Amino acid sequence: MMVFAWLFAAFWATMPLLGWGEYDYEPLRTCCTLDYSKGDRNYITFLFALSIFNFMIPGFIMTTAYQSIHQKFKKSGHY
């Protein structure tokens, strides 16, 4: 699982370096972040994929896991 987490993070971190998405300086020029001002199709597809694979899918997995835990405790009567 640890290797998967590192490879998953490395994949999403290198995609802007390979041309899918783009990094840019923050307004204070202290560090780099994703450039949210872009509006082209390449960048929008990157943001959608990033939000689905890094937020929605893990959020769905956590929600269903906690719901099943809640149902298990509800059946056993131990809240």
Side-chain angles (χ1 to χ4, degrees), residues 17-61:
L17 299 175
L18 299 175
W20 193 33
E22 187 174 327
Y23 288 129
D24 196 13
Y25 286 110
E26 288 185 343
L28 295 177
R29 303 257 184 222
T30 56
C31 60
C32 290
T33 187
L34 291 172
D35 186 10
Y36 297 106
S37 64
K38 297 283 183 193
D40 60 344
R41 178 179 288 237
N42 182 25
Y43 192 71
I44 290 172
T45 59
F46 175 71
L47 283 182
F48 275 120
L50 189 71
S51 64
I52 289 170
F53 287 106
N54 292 309
F55 180 70
M56 292 182 187
I57 291 175
F60 176 74
I61 291 169

